[in-house]
Amino acid sequence: MSRLLTIRKRLLSENLDAIIVTNLKNIYYLSGFWGTAATLLLTQKTQYLLTDARYSSEARDLATDFEIIETTDTSEQLNQLLKKEVIRQVGFEDTLSFAAVKRLQTILTVAELKPLTDFVELQRQVKSESEIATIKKACQISDQAFQDLLKFVEPGKTEIEVANFLDFKMREFGASGTSFDTIVASGIRSALPHGRATHKPIDFGDVVTVDFGCYYNHYASDMTRTFFVGDANPKLKEMYRVVQSAQEAVIEKSIAGLTYGEYDRNARAIIDKAGYAEAFTHGIGHGLGLDVHELPYFSKVSNSPLLENMVITDEPGIYLTGVGGIRIEDDLLITKQGVEVLTLAPKELIVL
Ligand SMILES: [Mn+2]
């Protein structure tokens, strides 16, 4: 399995004999096991998956390349394995709780623990063909749900009703669930970039922002659309056109090798020029995969390059308190030729 081979090479270059993986999504990524309780130990030659009685038979089916160990005391079991494998330096994920680290420190008698930040996450940034196909399917489900939503929304429906409809439709089309709590923000509430859906009814003349996504076979989609119900405020229509041209400029100009800073600036330059610099209050986007927010994260000043087969979001927005907000978000696959847009729901200015 090449994912494990890559991890092992990277451990060598960090002078580590082994790694303890506790993040459950990283465990799925490396082993194929999906469950709520597991710890993975990877040395240069061996690979163990520790879990409890609830999961051990499933683990044997899913993590076929791993030796499955059923245990009620993970720390003590790790200590035994580290002694047996003569491990001196072992990396662990620094997202592990303070209490769990303290316990490990107390119990491990030979191996020295070294914290690692985003060690597996870094590898997850670049997607395989099958991961890309799965994310595409998650995006198609979101697209379909949005198409149906346009027929559902009308004045009088509450934000929560709109959110519930999207959530239900995504499940109906094959999602296992939402990838985060669906955001529906209408009227002046749309100026809140992450407005929670409330019992507020949608009024005639409201702008409505919906930011939603689903999980399909463990992979996330994430998209945002903004539309108008009834005759729209001309100021908001103007803001819509600015955000749309910024969002589309990112699609046109992105390609493997472009720096994170340039990726951000391609949108920000257009918004700044239109006079809304202060109103674009968040980053341009983030990576997407097993987590709905994952590496890479974009900074205006980073010179790191976009890599082929990264899946990232493109989501500029403009928010004016007391007026409203506009955001448009797509999920993009970075290629050597440019980008492939994975979310294909309409982006033209829609007035229902
Ligand atoms: Mn997003």
Side-chain angles (χ1 to χ4, degrees):
M1 205 182 194
S2 70
R3 287 176 188 174
L4 296 182
L5 194 68
T6 308
I7 289 279
R8 286 186 165 119
K9 282 187 188 156
R10 293 174 58 218
L11 288 174
L12 275 181
S13 68
E14 301 277 334
N15 291 317
L16 291 167
D17 307 315
I19 182 173
I20 297 166
V21 181
T22 44
N23 174 298
L24 292 165
K25 290 188 177 177
N26 290 340
I27 290 174
Y28 173 73
Y29 180 77
L30 295 173
S31 75
F33 171 76
W34 185 268
T36 59
T39 300
L40 197 143
L41 173 66
L42 196 70
T43 74
Q44 284 299 333
K45 293 209 173 72
T46 54
Q47 51 218 40
Y48 300 97
L49 196 151
L50 286 59
T51 186
D52 62 35
R54 292 172 300 166
Y55 287 116
S56 51
S57 89
E58 214 174 348
R60 279 184 198 94
D61 291 342
L62 295 172
T64 47
D65 293 336
F66 281 71
E67 182 173 332
I68 310 299
I69 297 179
E70 186 182 311
T71 180
T72 52
D73 189 342
T74 301
S75 300
E76 185 47 47
Q77 188 65 57
L78 280 172
N79 190 40
Q80 297 304 322
L81 291 169
L82 292 168
K83 274 203 276 187
K84 185 177 118 190
E85 302 283 345
V86 201
I87 299 301
R88 302 284 173 216
Q89 304 281 330
V90 59
F92 72 98
E93 298 181 300
D94 65 2
T95 48
L96 194 58
S97 77
F98 183 64
V101 176
K102 269 208 306 192
R103 178 161 163 74
L104 268 180
Q105 280 171 336
T106 311
I107 288 185
L108 297 195
T109 47
V110 182
E112 192 186 337
L113 285 166
K114 299 270 178 187
L116 296 170
T117 303
D118 289 333
F119 193 78
V120 182
E121 285 84 347
L122 209 66
Q123 210 170 309
R124 279 170 41 188
Q125 294 186 111
V126 171
K127 270 64 182 179
S128 70
E129 288 305 313
S130 83
E131 288 180 295
I132 291 165
T134 308
I135 296 170
K136 267 187 197 174
K137 177 68 185 171
C139 291
Q140 284 164 8
I141 290 170
S142 299
D143 283 342
Q144 264 184 296
F146 182 73
Q147 289 291 357
D148 281 10
L149 182 76
L150 294 176
K151 291 173 244 158
F152 174 79
V153 173
E154 57 187 15
K157 294 261 167 64
T158 68
E159 292 172 349
I160 286 176
E161 285 175 308
V162 169
N164 288 347
F165 181 87
L166 277 172
D167 296 358
F168 177 81
K169 281 289 161 186
M170 289 192 289
R171 282 183 181 268
E172 186 180 300
F173 296 138
S176 61
T178 60
S179 50
F180 56 94
D181 283 350
T182 298
I183 289 166
V184 179
S186 63
I188 58 168
R189 292 194 70 253
S190 61
L192 306 169
H194 270 196
R196 280 168 190 280
T198 67
H199 290 290
K200 176 194 171 296
I202 289 166
D203 291 324
F204 189 81
D206 269 358
V207 61
V208 183
T209 297
V210 291
D211 185 348
F212 63 103
C214 69
Y215 278 119
Y216 175 78
N217 196 15
H218 309 311
Y219 283 82
S221 60
D222 182 9
M223 88 169 184
T224 307
R225 290 293 183 268
T226 302
F227 53 89
F228 298 89
V229 178
D231 200 21
N233 173 339
K235 176 77 174 166
L236 286 166
K237 279 189 181 168
E238 181 213 309
M239 285 158 58
Y240 192 95
R241 297 192 199 288
V242 174
V243 171
Q244 188 182 11
S245 53
Q247 204 268 346
E248 283 169 356
V250 170
I251 292 172
E252 279 158 33
K253 293 178 177 173
S254 298
I255 188 163
L258 191 82
T259 69
Y260 294 1
E262 289 165 329
Y263 185 72
D264 182 281
R265 277 195 296 279
N266 285 338
R268 209 166 291 276
I270 289 172
I271 290 174
D272 290 1
K273 200 172 164 223
Y276 293 104
E278 303 299 310
F280 178 16
T281 49
H282 53 74
I284 182 65
H286 53 85
L288 180 79
L290 289 170
D291 284 305
V292 69
H293 296 124
E294 63 179 43
L295 292 178
Y297 293 107
F298 300 108
S299 127
K300 286 180 232 182
V301 293
S302 170
N303 289 319
S304 301
L306 292 176
L307 303 175
E308 186 185 15
N309 292 341
M310 278 181 167
V311 176
I312 59 179
T313 68
D314 164 18
E315 51 179 309
I318 297 178
Y319 312 93
L320 291 185
T321 306
V323 178
I326 307 285
R327 181 168 66 258
I328 304 172
E329 174 183 26
D330 280 324
D331 302 338
L332 310 182
L333 170 67
I334 300 300
T335 74
K336 280 183 187 160
Q337 290 78 38
V339 305
E340 183 181 345
V341 183
L342 305 183
T343 39
L344 300 172
K347 277 187 293 193
E348 71 272 13
L349 195 158
I350 295 171
V351 181
L352 296 178

